[in-house]
Each structure stands twice: as C-alpha cells, then as structure tokens.
C-alpha cells in the first residue's frame, strides 16, 4: 500500500489560503482554498475536488533517507500527530532541489543535510508545537521533489517563521532551486 497524498489548490477544501509566496523560482497559480486527500493506495487515482481545481500536487509518504536511529527515536518521542483540533494553521511548502544535489552521493547529501545544516536538530527544537509530514514527489515526475506539510496552533506561528528562516539560511538551501510557501488556516 502506497500512501499517495494529493494537495489540490482551487476554490474548495477545508483550508483557506492566507498567504502564498514563491521565495525561489516559478510561482504556482493562485488558489483560495486547499484540500488534502486522505492516503489512498491506488497510484493515479484522483481524489481532490473535481471542479474548481487550479493545480494538483501529489506525493508519497516514503521511507527515511537521512535519519539515524537515534534521531528517529528522538523524533518519535516528541512529534505530535496531524489533525490536532488546536492546529488551525498550516503550511504547504513544495520544494525542488537542483541537479547538483541529486548528483551527490547519499553520504554527501546526509553530511550537508545534518552535519553541516543541522536540519533535524534545528527542527527538533520546534516539536511538539509543529506537526509535519514529508511527501516525496520526484519519482512521480512531479514539478517538485518534496511536498512538505506542517500544522500548528496559531500561537506557534511566530516560531514557525523562525524555523523556516533558520532552514533557509543553511547550506542545504543552496541546493533548493524552487520553493513555494503557502500558508493556510481552518476554522
Ligand atoms: C526532511 C525533520 C521542518 C523541509 C526532513 C527529515 C527530517 C526532518 C528528520 C529527513 C527525513 C529523511 O530521513 O529522509 C524536520 C523537523 C522539522 C522540519 C523535525 C520541524 C518542524 C522543515 C521545514 C521545511 C522542511 C519547515 C521547509 C521549509 C524538508 C525537506 C526535506 C526534509 C525538503 C527533504 C530533504 C531531502 O530529502 O533532501 N526533515 N523538518 N523541514 N525537510 Fe524537514
């Protein structure tokens, strides 16, 4: 069973777009609402609203690439689930990395990701406030390599901005060639 998730931007869905920016590269056409499909086991099946959709982005929840067992244990101990009633704010940040990144070997990528950029250790400092799910899109022939999804209560919005700013200042981000940042709210 593959957990294929579809994000559909348009005029339907529980999440209302409050801000959409394109820090790097081409933007996405503007949408006012976002729907997120439940995991489905059938690749290629469309689950989002059938009308009023402006764009669809799909990704799969996959295995870990750059996480040691110790880091995985620390993450498991503090990471909150998605869909907490208090988490009425969200961010969808689709990201594509450069050919230069994908040409590196696995150990070189890990070294940039964690030993140099401290991605996981920076991120751990923001848990359990922020819930997250990483989706991989690269092997689906999608326009982005990753669809990153975050949910948090409104009082952690400022912390989330600080987290995003800290990650964007890392060496890892010198390999990001396209990034869209969509902020959302639900009642
Ligand atoms: C990957 C943790 C926030 C973007 C990862 C991975 C971990 C992680 C452990 C590696 C998964 C693996 O082993 O394959 C965290 C934590 C965060 C956080 C704890 C705190 C909330 C963010 C934010 C962004 C982001 C805010 C975007 C602005 C990504 C991307 C990847 C990733 C694009 C995939 C990197 C790649 O495979 O090259 N994150 N992260 N993360 N994260 Fe984060």
């Amino acid at each position: 069973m593959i957990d294929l998730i579809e994000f559909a931007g348009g005029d339907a869905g529980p999440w209302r777009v409050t801000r959409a920016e394109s820090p790097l590269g081409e933007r996405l056409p503007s949408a006012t609402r976002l729907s997120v499909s439940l995991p489905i086991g059938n690749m290629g099946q469309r689950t989002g609203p059938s009308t009023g959709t402006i764009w669809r982005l799909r990704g799969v929840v996959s295995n870990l690439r750059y996480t040691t067992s110790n880091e995985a244990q620390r993450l498991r101990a503090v990471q909150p689930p998605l869909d907490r009633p208090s988490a009425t704010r969200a961010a969808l940040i689709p990201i594509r990395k450069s050919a230069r990144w994908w040409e590196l070997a696995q150990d070189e990528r890990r070294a940039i990701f964690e030993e140099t950029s401290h991605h996981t250790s920076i991120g751990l400092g923001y848990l359990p406030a922020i819930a997250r799910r990483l989706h991989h899109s690269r092997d689906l022939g999608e326009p982005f390599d990753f669809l990153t999804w975050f949910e948090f209560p409104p009082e952690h919005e400022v912390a989330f901005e600080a987290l995003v700013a800290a990650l964007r200042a890392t060496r890892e981000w010198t390999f990001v060639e396209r990034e869209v940042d969509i902020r959302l709210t639900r009642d």
Side-chain angles (χ1 to χ4, degrees):
M1 160 100 170
I2 295 169
D3 282 347
L4 179 72
I5 312 283
E6 182 185 85
F7 295 88
D11 59 11
W15 293 99
R16 181 167 54 81
V17 176
T18 53
R19 207 171 93 200
E21 290 171 358
S22 303
L24 282 166
E26 201 190 326
R27 54 188 290 280
L28 276 177
S30 22
T32 54
R33 317 273 317 183
L34 178 88
S35 75
V36 187
S37 75
L38 291 172
I40 50 169
N42 184 359
M43 306 260 296
Q45 190 177 319
R46 289 202 160 173
T47 56
S50 49
T51 58
T53 299
I54 296 166
W55 47 259
R56 292 172 197 278
L57 295 172
R58 299 184 312 160
V60 292
V61 179
S62 184
N63 59 284
L64 298 173
R65 268 80 163 164
Y66 307 115
T67 308
T68 63
S69 56
N70 179 275
E71 289 160 353
Q73 208 175 338
R74 284 161 62 207
L75 285 162
R76 272 197 302 272
V78 285
Q79 64 195 9
L82 290 180
D83 224 14
R84 289 168 295 173
S86 64
T88 55
R89 300 290 181 274
L92 172 65
I93 307 184
I95 285 174
R96 189 173 71 225
K97 285 185 170 174
S98 62
R100 206 161 51 91
W101 172 262
W102 294 107
E103 280 158 11
L104 295 171
Q106 178 74 18
D107 57 339
E108 295 172 308
R109 291 196 297 261
R110 155 74 199 187
I112 294 164
F113 178 86
E114 195 56 31
E115 279 70 27
T116 306
S117 303
H118 311 293
H119 186 127
T120 302
S121 57
I122 291 173
L124 269 166
Y126 293 85
L127 270 46
I130 295 163
R132 50 181 275 278
R133 192 167 65 199
L134 175 64
H135 311 82
H136 284 257
S137 300
R138 178 173 160 82
D139 293 340
L140 301 176
E142 288 276 313
F144 296 94
D145 295 333
F146 310 99
L147 306 175
T148 67
W149 175 254
F150 308 92
E151 295 178 0
F152 43 90
E155 60 269 29
H156 295 303
E157 216 151 15
V158 173
F160 187 74
E161 293 301 345
L163 164 64
V164 170
L167 289 176
R168 284 185 182 143
T170 62
R171 170 121 197 271
E172 185 195 352
W173 246 254
T174 66
F175 294 90
V176 174
E177 64 176 21
R178 188 176 180 197
E179 179 178 6
V180 175
D181 185 340
I182 302 168
R183 301 304 174 88
L184 305 135
T185 186
R186 68 173 169 192
D187 304 322

